[in-house]
Amino acid sequence: MIAYFNGNFLRKEEISISPDDRGFLFSDGVYEVVRAYGGKPFRMAEHMDRLARSLRETRIDFPGVAELAVAGAKLIARNGLEAVDSILYFQVTRGVAPRKHTFPDPPVSATTMILLSQAPSSVEMREKGVGAILVPEFRWSRCDIKAIGLMGSVLAVQQAKEKGAEEAIFVRDGVVTEGTHTNVLAVFNGHILTHPLGNFILPGVTRGVILDICSKIGITCKEQTFRAEELKRASEIIISGTNKEITPVVRLDGRPVGTGAPGPVTRRLQEAYSELVRG
Ligand SMILES: Cc1ncc(COP(=O)(O)O)c(C=O)c1O
């Protein structure tokens, strides 16, 4: 696979990362994941806006986000993946400098990388639904930044896997926030609730698309918190994300959600989403 590294296109195996890279040493970097449907990146502008925001919030000096978007689109063609679904992974770190916690002084150039892979099929998960578990929030308080330091998410989702589930959903002070790599939406009496934007969740691009779809097709979706006990009584639960798209959660902590099968609100959203991305 051809990748992109610090301005150059090269074979992925040829990339060499310095041991002094702050991404490697401190997880001092940010990332984005964009899905391309049939070679066309979906919501690239929104993802790049979020990348620019993550860079601003972490004070990583990298002015070339627009160029990265162009390079990402080029990678798809260079790898001949125009006809299939693929995943673009963008990463920007604060660069290479001797190990010291404070920002490099004098400043150094950011390290940039884009990787491409073929998208794994999400059909089965979307059709049948998945299990999820609730876990206490033990990440940091800036979940709005798409930071590469993902130890909290790694540990939580591994716990889910070991319990036969697909996703771990974080609960902060009793309130449901989001999954390790997804936003969470729950259906109560036909209406959807999802955690409001702020520093406790990532402003998911897919979440934003779902809010737009809801207003177009007349489903009420409120950005309002709900508690873990309430989630257990939801008729439907959805996890949303670039990789998971719109995936129903049919088991929570081993118990069925609603009827134990994907519900009607989820199906309507999936249909509308599919028309949008593939139509
Ligand atoms: C913590 C977290 N929340 C939500 C999401 C969903 O965001 P998006 O829909 O932009 O992929 C992700 C995606 O990776 C994530 O890591």
Side-chain angles (χ1 to χ4, degrees):
M1 209 54 103
I2 304 293
Y4 175 91
F5 186 66
N6 286 344
N8 302 305
F9 290 94
L10 69 176
R11 291 207 349 267
K12 187 179 168 188
E13 305 75 58
E14 286 168 350
I15 296 178
S16 80
I17 313 260
S18 165
D20 284 333
D21 194 283
R22 290 181 61 98
F24 181 62
L25 291 175
F26 294 112
S27 287
D28 187 1
V30 297
Y31 75 108
E32 265 308 318
V33 180
V34 179
R35 195 179 183 105
Y37 293 91
K40 293 197 196 78
F42 181 63
R43 295 289 195 263
M44 179 71 104
E46 285 84 344
H47 283 283
M48 291 302 110
D49 284 351
R50 190 171 64 187
L51 180 60
R53 179 181 184 277
S54 294
L55 288 164
R56 263 196 321 276
E57 293 295 317
T58 51
R59 295 167 61 196
I60 294 175
D61 183 20
F62 175 68
V65 169
E67 286 79 8
L68 279 191
V70 173
K74 275 190 193 157
L75 260 191
I76 297 173
R78 287 205 175 212
N79 284 291
L81 294 189
E82 296 101 324
V84 295
D85 294 355
S86 56
I87 301 283
L88 283 163
Y89 175 85
F90 298 79
Q91 181 169 310
V92 184
T93 78
R94 204 180 303 275
V96 176
R99 188 180 184 282
K100 187 167 188 249
H101 285 65
T102 47
F103 296 173
D105 187 12
V108 294
S109 302
T111 303
T112 55
M113 182 178 75
I114 313 173
L115 303 177
L116 178 72
S117 57
Q118 208 161 321
S121 170
S122 53
V123 175
E124 194 176 331
M125 274 195 261
R126 276 190 277 127
E127 283 312 309
K128 293 189 183 157
V130 297
I133 61 166
L134 293 170
V135 291
E137 179 67 276
F138 53 86
R139 301 175 300 167
W140 64 337
S141 297
R142 289 304 309 272
C143 302
D144 55 316
I145 299 173
K146 205 161 166 60
I148 59 174
L150 291 174
M151 183 60 87
S153 299
V154 167
L155 294 178
V157 80
Q158 180 63 24
Q159 208 177 311
K161 185 181 172 191
E162 288 165 9
K163 291 188 170 162
E166 184 65 30
E167 178 62 305
I169 295 175
F170 291 111
V171 179
R172 188 186 286 261
D173 299 329
V175 171
V176 174
T177 55
E178 64 176 349
T180 66
H181 56 291
T182 57
N183 290 113
V184 176
L185 304 99
V187 180
F188 302 98
N189 302 319
H191 302 322
I192 302 179
L193 296 188
T194 190
H195 195 287
L197 296 184
N199 56 318
F200 292 157
I201 66 162
L202 187 78
V205 171
T206 320
R207 174 188 178 280
V209 172
I210 293 175
L211 287 173
D212 287 349
I213 291 176
C214 283
S215 65
K216 283 201 190 94
I217 66 176
I219 297 175
T220 308
C221 184
K222 288 191 194 145
E223 298 178 82
Q224 193 179 302
T225 58
F226 50 87
R227 300 184 67 80
E229 312 86 73
E230 295 175 277
L231 186 66
K232 290 175 188 164
R233 295 193 295 272
S235 57
E236 299 174 48
I237 301 175
I238 294 164
I239 49 175
S240 74
T242 297
N243 267 300
K244 288 284 183 298
E245 300 177 294
I246 296 178
T247 293
V249 173
V250 293
R251 280 181 318 283
L252 185 65
D253 283 341
R255 295 197 190 90
V257 175
T259 63
V265 176
T266 308
R267 287 296 185 224
R268 282 182 69 197
L269 288 177
Q270 284 177 325
E271 270 165 39
Y273 190 79
S274 176
E275 263 169 46
L276 193 66
V277 300
R278 294 174 219 276

